[in-house]
Amino acid sequence: MPLENTILICAGGGCISAGEISVKEALENEIKKYALDGVVKVVETGCMDACSLGPLMVIYPEGVFYQKLKPSDAKEIVEEHLLKGRVVQRLLYKGPSGEIKPRATEEIPFFTRQVRIATRNLGVIDPASIEEYIARDGYFALRKALSMTPEMVIEEIKKSGLRGRGGAGFPTGLKWELTRKSKSDEKYLICNADEGDPGAFMDRSMMEGDPHSLLEGMAIGGYAIGAHQGYIYVRAEYPLAIERLKIAIKQAREYGLLGKDIFGSGFDFDVDLRIGAGAFVCGEETALIQSVEGKRGQPVQKPPYPAQSGLWKKPTVINNVETLVDVPYIINKGWEAFASIGTEKSKGTKVFALVGKVNNTGLVEVPMGTTLRELIFDIGGGIPGGKRFKAVQTGGPSGGCIPEEYLDTPIDYESLTSLGTIMGSGGMIVMDEDTCMVDVARFFLQFTADESCGKCTPCREGTRKMLSILDKIVEGNGTMEDIERLETLAVTIKDTALCGLGQTAPNPVLSTLRYFRDEYEAHVKEKRCPAKSCKALIAYRIDPAKCTGCTACARACPTGAITGEVRKVHTIDQEKCIKCGSCFEVCRFDAVEKLDAVEVTADT
Amino acid sequence: MENQTLTDPKFAELDEFIDNLPDKKGMLIGVLHKAQEIFGYLPAEVQHHIAQKLDIPESTVFGVVTFYSFFTMKPRGKYQIKVCLGTACYVKGGQKISDRVKEELGVTGDEPTSDGLFSVQEVRCLGACSMAPVMLVGERDFYGRLTPDKIPQIIESYRRKENKK
């Protein structure tokens, strides 16, 4: 029986956490109930990018896009859409002004503004099926590469202008060439899939949604540099990615696309997984090599660079997931196709994880050179709740925060560096007026201090010292000398730490000091947190004019700090209040005010 | 609480895994992952056993176990609750989620609850940033777009599951 409908249901991390599995089960049950299982196929795909709308699905051939699904919606989808051909209006995506978009993937800016190279197969194919990957020209690039000389492959990548998508943006073709030229009996290619930057999840989505693209990119890279063994170093926190990679490796071996004599070319290449164990520093390439060798993941001095002496002291290339996923595209379409996109020095596209205080969260792949404003406002749909944009954080703990006045900056490696941050792996965390920039800096320092491997003194001791100063400031005990000390320490650590983690650890502090110095000074001089976020510097008070005496706040208060009779004005005992904000959240009459602590103390 | 005695069948299972490795070179982390899967945690006896089996110093094993946050030398609860404190979760109130979970369970750190059912860990990014704040119970149960008041209900659902057994 021919298929009448194919339902693609997104099984990316976002949709799974929103309840995709139970939606899928309910749908399959309904389909069975009406004996449609022969004519309707349900496929779990990789991430469809629009995570804020999840769980979501697209029903073909119509291409109808249903969003924010619940298991209880399954019955109606089957009875109305599949059986009667009537679109379920209430599950369609509605635009900002309420207009209905039945084929959202072709109609709304979140999707239409994207240029999908690295995410070309996400949400389109079943990641557990090598056949579906092959049907999308999968492994054609490997075949083509094997008909070229390794030098020609390297030349193609060099001309494309591809640069590393995981951090510093080193030219990929050059890295391959250096490793190719290193003389050795054995070489290795490692894929760095230790996606540790909090706020970035594109590598996870690509491994889960399109694992074969990664394997193909690795095989091409292996051929170019002369390696026969590749490793994917993947985080233990990504069990689904591990599972899907294992399936993909097994399938590729069965098809002869990994292993001995691939495509009869005489080239042997195989891939194994190495599972990380939760250490951020392992994203640094020399530490990663130590970890792949089964040791403590501590960085070692460079040079020698891994291109000369890497895994087991053999020449080794380490590439990020997105970089390797771009490779088959470049080989298939030619370097011109990739180099024609982007800016002068940053070619192609970049996948960003757009998260935080933004309406449309999810993965977004756009040409290099797209401005931050286009990304956050046109594609991301702006800031929720009518709040004001304050900053966007890029590059994870090694990056920095970019304020409003630079929103029109075209994004590429150079422009971000000049703003005091980095591209990193592409996390973009949007922050609004309620986010305290001193607290954000403190958050990152806490992170790097925790994750410092302890090998070199500047990072081990320096980050802790910086953290203790930041703690002092957010608690309202900071002095102006503390801000100076913070700056001196930051510059010293940057200059003297052993590895990339340590050298970039002060960036969140330096960039917030650069753009938001006034917030630091408000904490120190006025003992005030302008974002009203730092607990020690705020206080809650009930506005007697607005309080209706509904008792909701008193019931929500965990410490019994709120007293008052029904239908009478309530009050907060400042001594007992732990500033958890529960009362502020539950009050339906805006009667609970969040104020500067200094103001409240002055009153009483 | 179930007494996690280090019974022989568990060691036999670990030995079988080690013996079947095609190459033992560089496999310490992989072996520790397996051992933790079998034993639930990595007490000194297990580390000693692995060191002998792989013919490496016990100090090396200990060094690796203590370096990586994924490995633990203390038993954990049956349901491990991982509260994400990655950046996106943090700016959306992840700390409040963690505080509420601990309050509900009556724990202060990563120690298991007295009935051995739960333990809490604050973890770095789980990669579900678009659903922030999120937490993970066990390996698979993701909870997204959390607010502190949703926590008691979620924990209760696992308690009920246990009571039914």
Side-chain angles (χ1 to χ4, degrees):
Chain A
M1 224 181 321
L3 282 181
E4 285 173 12
N5 290 99
T6 302
I7 302 178
L8 301 187
I9 179 158
C10 173
C15 283
I16 290 177
S17 65
E20 177 268 336
I21 294 168
S22 47
V23 171
K24 184 190 149 235
E25 283 169 1
L27 187 70
E28 285 177 337
N29 283 339
E30 290 295 325
I31 289 171
K32 271 203 203 99
K33 205 153 85 187
Y34 288 99
L36 293 173
D37 27 347
V39 292
V40 177
K41 189 177 166 201
V42 180
V43 180
E44 279 189 299
T45 71
C47 181
M48 294 189 188
D49 302 349
C51 310
S52 55
L53 304 179
L56 48 87
M57 62 170 71
V58 184
I59 303 189
Y60 288 98
E62 303 91 331
V64 170
F65 180 90
Y66 290 132
Q67 44 111 39
K68 295 188 178 164
L69 298 168
K70 289 191 221 41
S72 54
D73 297 327
K75 188 174 157 71
E76 198 173 342
I77 292 171
V78 172
E79 291 178 354
E80 287 294 306
H81 190 127
L82 298 183
L83 287 171
K84 298 177 189 152
R86 289 201 292 242
V87 171
V88 185
Q89 298 288 328
R90 66 176 183 87
L91 298 175
L92 297 174
Y93 175 80
K94 289 175 196 69
S97 44
E99 71 281 16
I100 292 178
K101 307 272 191 187
R103 295 159 63 90
T105 48
E106 295 154 35
E107 289 171 303
I108 64 174
F110 183 83
F111 293 105
T112 56
R113 295 285 294 265
Q114 299 201 37
V115 177
R116 300 180 49 143
I117 292 177
T119 59
R120 58 193 178 274
N121 290 325
L122 286 192
V124 181
I125 61 167
D126 175 357
S129 161
I130 191 171
E131 290 86 357
E132 289 196 16
Y133 179 65
I134 292 170
R136 300 264 302 172
D137 293 345
Y139 291 105
F140 281 47
L142 176 59
R143 194 191 171 117
K144 188 171 166 188
L146 293 178
S147 70
M148 299 155 71
T149 65
E151 287 76 13
M152 283 160 70
V153 174
I154 290 172
E155 198 51 32
E156 194 78 8
I157 299 299
K158 275 173 85 177
K159 279 200 226 152
S160 76
L162 176 65
R163 295 169 64 176
R165 288 335 192 206
F170 193 83
T172 307
L174 185 58
K175 203 184 239 185
W176 288 10
E177 187 174 54
L178 292 170
T179 314
R180 167 108 212 138
K181 285 180 177 161
S182 290
K183 293 217 170 9
S184 174
D185 54 335
E186 252 182 317
K187 291 175 189 177
Y188 297 103
L189 184 135
I190 302 177
C191 169
N192 183 349
D194 187 45
E195 186 175 49
D197 280 4
F201 58 100
M202 60 286 292
D203 293 351
R204 167 187 174 157
S205 293
M206 283 181 253
M207 288 186 284
E208 287 178 0
D210 188 18
H212 285 286
S213 280
L214 175 58
L215 298 182
E216 187 176 7
M218 288 181 74
I220 295 168
Y223 176 70
I225 63 168
H228 301 292
Q229 179 65 49
Y231 294 100
I232 303 173
Y233 184 84
V234 55
R235 300 178 72 194
E237 287 89 339
Y238 289 175
L240 185 61
I242 294 168
E243 186 185 313
R244 292 200 180 146
L245 283 168
K246 279 184 181 162
I247 296 170
I249 291 170
K250 187 167 166 274
Q251 289 172 339
R253 283 179 186 153
E254 282 164 9
Y255 274 68
L257 298 165
L258 285 178
K260 298 273 174 213
D261 193 22
I262 298 168
F263 286 119
S265 64
F267 171 63
D268 307 337
F269 189 76
D270 207 348
V271 173
D272 277 312
L273 297 183
R274 286 291 179 271
I275 317 294
F280 177 71
V281 69
C282 290
E284 198 278 339
E285 57 182 11
T286 61
L288 186 145
I289 288 170
Q290 298 289 311
S291 190
V292 172
E293 292 180 1
K295 302 179 197 155
R296 288 164 70 93
Q298 287 181 313
V300 293
Q301 188 80 257
K302 289 192 278 193
Y305 290 94
Q308 284 95 44
S309 172
L311 184 63
W312 312 117
K313 305 241 180 296
K314 306 287 183 188
T316 303
V317 156
I318 297 161
N319 286 140
N320 151 277
V321 176
E322 186 181 345
T323 316
L324 288 163
V325 168
D326 279 336
V327 165
Y329 175 91
I330 295 167
I331 298 295
N332 254 340
K333 309 274 174 178
W335 64 269
E336 298 91 338
F338 194 80
S340 66
I341 305 168
T343 64
E344 194 199 336
K345 287 183 177 165
S346 304
K347 300 297 184 192
T349 56
K350 175 79 192 85
V351 184
F352 293 101
L354 197 56
V355 296
K357 308 276 186 74
V358 61
N359 275 312
N360 307 330
T361 54
L363 286 186
V364 180
E365 183 170 9
V366 290
M368 291 279 193
T370 302
T371 67
L372 287 163
R373 190 183 300 280
E374 288 172 283
L375 197 63
I376 296 165
F377 289 89
D378 298 349
I379 298 173
I383 316 300
K387 300 272 181 176
R388 193 185 160 91
F389 171 88
K390 186 188 268 185
V392 57
Q393 205 280 345
T394 75
S398 304
C401 296
I402 304 168
E404 198 176 2
E405 59 258 44
Y406 297 102
L407 272 180
D408 291 308
T409 310
I411 308 161
D412 67 12
Y413 292 98
E414 280 71 25
S415 67
L416 291 180
T417 307
S418 73
L419 290 176
T421 179
I422 59 164
M423 177 80 75
S425 51
M428 285 234 166
I429 299 142
V430 180
M431 296 168 181
D432 68 7
E433 55 189 283
D434 294 339
T435 314
C436 169
M437 302 316 286
V438 186
D439 187 48
V440 165
R442 198 199 64 87
F443 167 81
F444 281 115
L445 255 296
Q446 171 126 52
F447 184 93
T448 34
D450 278 352
E451 294 294 341
S452 172
C453 78
K455 185 168 176 173
C456 76
T457 319
C459 174
R460 184 185 64 238
E461 301 299 329
T463 53
R464 283 190 187 193
K465 200 67 214 161
M466 284 179 77
L467 177 62
S468 70
I469 296 176
L470 287 164
D471 278 336
K472 209 174 145 192
I473 296 175
V474 298
E475 279 156 18
N477 301 322
T479 61
M480 290 305 283
E481 292 76 48
D482 282 330
I483 299 184
E484 273 169 44
R485 243 176 253 135
L486 202 55
E487 261 181 319
T488 316
L489 266 168
V491 175
T492 313
I493 297 170
K494 213 173 158 71
D495 289 344
T496 55
L498 171 67
C499 80
L501 180 127
Q503 289 157 11
T504 58
N507 282 353
V509 171
L510 288 170
S511 91
T512 47
L513 274 172
R514 178 168 162 189
Y515 299 118
F516 301 97
R517 199 177 190 97
D518 54 328
E519 290 200 22
Y520 280 83
E521 292 183 357
H523 282 74
V524 170
K525 288 187 188 161
E526 302 161 35
K527 309 295 174 205
R528 209 168 54 77
C529 171
K532 297 209 171 50
S533 142
C534 295
K535 273 190 187 177
L537 302 178
I538 56 163
Y540 292 92
R541 190 172 59 184
I542 295 171
D543 182 349
K546 288 184 183 163
C547 179
T548 62
C550 74
T551 74
C553 57
R555 277 179 281 128
C557 180
T559 59
I562 303 180
T563 47
E565 287 169 40
V566 183
R567 294 201 198 91
K568 289 202 177 133
V569 172
H570 283 49
T571 49
I572 302 175
D573 180 346
Q574 298 298 333
E575 292 288 310
K576 285 189 189 164
C577 176
I578 55 165
K579 296 165 189 175
C580 68
S582 300
C583 53
F584 185 78
E585 274 154 35
V586 295
C587 182
R588 284 180 290 125
F589 307 99
D590 288 333
V592 180
E593 303 168 296
K594 210 196 277 185
L595 302 165
D596 293 322
V598 277
E599 211 177 318
V600 175
T601 345
D603 282 4
T604 46
Chain B
M1 174 184 176
E2 188 195 352
N3 188 17
Q4 296 215 349
T5 44
L6 309 171
T7 45
D8 279 340
K10 288 183 175 173
F11 281 103
E13 191 185 344
L14 182 60
D15 287 350
E16 196 194 330
F17 174 81
I18 297 172
D19 293 337
N20 285 323
L21 288 173
D23 185 3
K24 289 189 185 58
K25 190 172 138 188
M27 284 310 292
L28 176 57
I29 293 176
V31 170
L32 290 171
H33 271 299
K34 187 71 193 177
Q36 187 159 299
E37 188 190 311
I38 296 170
F39 293 96
Y41 66 118
L42 299 169
E45 303 92 295
V46 173
Q47 294 182 36
H48 174 77
H49 183 82
I50 291 171
Q52 292 211 313
K53 194 80 190 159
L54 294 178
D55 197 20
I56 50 176
E58 212 171 320
S59 58
T60 305
V61 178
F62 180 75
V64 170
V65 169
T66 50
F67 185 83
Y68 294 97
S69 64
F70 196 83
F71 298 131
T72 173
M73 291 175 61
K74 287 185 287 187
R76 285 182 179 156
K78 178 172 178 188
Y79 296 103
Q80 278 181 47
I81 302 180
K82 293 181 177 151
V83 184
C84 182
L85 289 187
T87 325
C89 289
Y90 186 76
V91 301
K92 286 197 161 180
Q95 189 62 55
K96 283 186 186 167
I97 302 297
S98 176
D99 293 347
R100 188 61 189 263
V101 172
K102 285 183 189 163
E103 190 191 317
E104 269 312 297
L105 297 178
V107 297
T108 51
D110 60 358
E111 78 277 11
T113 50
S114 53
D115 57 6
L117 272 186
F118 301 97
S119 60
V120 196
Q121 246 184 308
E122 290 175 352
V123 297
R124 50 199 189 88
C125 193
L126 289 168
C129 316
S130 50
M131 288 293 164
V134 300
M135 70 179 196
L136 179 65
V137 182
E139 282 272 288
R140 278 292 162 103
D141 298 356
F142 257 108
Y143 295 91
R145 291 191 184 121
L146 285 169
T147 51
D149 55 341
K150 288 184 186 163
I151 300 300
Q153 217 182 324
I154 295 171
I155 290 173
E156 194 47 40
S157 71
Y158 289 92
R159 287 207 179 108
R160 262 202 310 265
K161 210 174 358 177
E162 282 305 305
N163 289 340
K164 268 187 200 159
K165 281 181 189 167

